[in-house]
């Protein structure tokens, strides 16, 4: 049965709905004791990757869900097959919120491995921080991203990268709070150029001073004083 399902999954002429059901049945049978003896984790991982790369949303959904389940026990196998990059790609796409949430949960399962922690931190740290701080993110996304970020902080190799990300995030928040960056304006108003007001004030003082000197030295002032 597993061999027949494998053939149907790799046949482009198979209808999408049939391929989706074959993928679901294939994954169920692959995790049975008999299925584990016949099919290794690498072969199951290859099927999962094929589904996630599909152009059909239904197959992407089945593949992402399978990846989240398979990542519980076979984190390194999936990482070597390129699952991290594929899951990050699905996480960046807001058009499919269901697949996006499942992809983040799969990344959470993969992030418990030290080698995967370095890879995820290098490729998706800023994306995870953005989703975690986004008020539009669902509670499931915030919980999953918080778990991933917590796992990334456990790895000492990520300390410098996380520190730089925190500094960058603080700078962005400071720019948003700045009075010259109003949320109501499409373009932030520019701060006044330095020295313009001071220059005008000093010029006014200088003009007044020179006028007073000229007036004190003029014969008209003496005539007025004598009168």
């Amino acid at each position: 049965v597993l061999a027949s399902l494998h053939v149907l999954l790799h046949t482009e002429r198979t209808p999408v709905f049939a391929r989706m059901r074959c993928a679901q049945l294939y994954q169920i049978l692959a995790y049975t004791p008999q299925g584990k003896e016949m099919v290794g984790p690498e072969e199951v991982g290859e099927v999962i990757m094929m589904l996630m790369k599909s152009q059909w949303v239904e197959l992407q959904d089945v593949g992402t869900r399978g990846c989240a389940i398979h990542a519980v026990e076979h984190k390194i196998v999936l990482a070597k097959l390129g699952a991290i990059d594929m899951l990050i790609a699905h996480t960046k796409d807001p058009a499919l919120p269901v697949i996006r949430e499942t992809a983040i949960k799969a990344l959470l399962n993969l992030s418990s491995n030290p080698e995967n922690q370095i890879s995820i931190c290098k490729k998706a740290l800023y994306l995870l921080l953005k989703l975690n701080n986004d008020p539009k993110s669902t509670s499931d996304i915030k919980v999953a991203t918080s778990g991933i970020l917590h796992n990334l902080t456990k790895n000492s190799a990520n300390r410098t990268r996380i520190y730089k990300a925190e500094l960058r995030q603080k700078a962005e928040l400071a720019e948003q709070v700045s009075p010259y960056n109003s949320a109501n304006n499409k373009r932030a108003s520019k701060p006044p150029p330095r020295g313009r007001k001071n220059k005008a004030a000093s010029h006014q003082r200088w003009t007044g001073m020179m006028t007073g000197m000229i007036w004190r030295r003029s014969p008209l002032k003496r005539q007025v004083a004598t009168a």
Side-chain angles (χ1 to χ4, degrees), residues 5 8-9 14 17-27:
L5 292 173
L8 290 173
L9 284 171
T14 305
F17 182 79
R19 293 179 70 184
M20 182 180 67
R21 293 305 183 192
C22 289
Q24 293 172 342
L25 183 58
Y26 181 89
Q27 294 182 53

Side-chain angles (χ1 to χ4, degrees), residues 16 21 61 68 78-79 90 93 100 111 131 146-147 189 207 221:
V16 177
R21 293 305 183 192
D61 185 34
L78 287 171
H90 285 309
D93 187 6
R100 189 185 206 184
S111 66
L131 290 172
S146 297
S189 57
T207 304
K221 179 179 181 299

Side-chain angles (χ1 to χ4, degrees), residues 6 17 22 34 86 96 107 110 119 175 194 200 203 218:
H6 192 274
F17 182 79
C22 289
Q34 296 82 2
M86 202 68 233
L96 302 171
L107 283 173
L110 290 174
S119 179
E175 289 181 0
R194 290 186 176 182
H203 178 72
S218 65

Side-chain angles (χ1 to χ4, degrees), residues 141-159:
I141 288 179
K142 289 190 174 184
V143 170
T145 51
S146 297
I148 297 172
L149 293 170
H150 176 71
N151 289 338
L152 298 184
T153 56
K154 294 180 180 179
N155 198 315
S156 59
N158 295 331
R159 289 177 182 174

Side-chain angles (χ1 to χ4, degrees), residues 31 41-42 45 48-49 52 66-85 87 105-117 119-120 151:
Y31 288 109
E42 292 82 5
I48 289 172
M49 290 299 300
M52 287 199 296
C67 185
I69 297 172
H70 203 56
V72 176
E73 297 181 0
H74 307 289
K75 309 176 193 301
I76 299 177
V77 172
L78 287 171
K80 289 181 179 180
L81 292 172
I84 292 177
D85 294 333
L87 292 171
K105 292 177 181 178
L107 283 173
L108 175 60
N109 293 338
L110 290 174
S111 66
S112 60
N113 178 266
E115 295 180 6
N116 294 343
Q117 290 169 359
S119 179
I120 294 172
N151 289 338

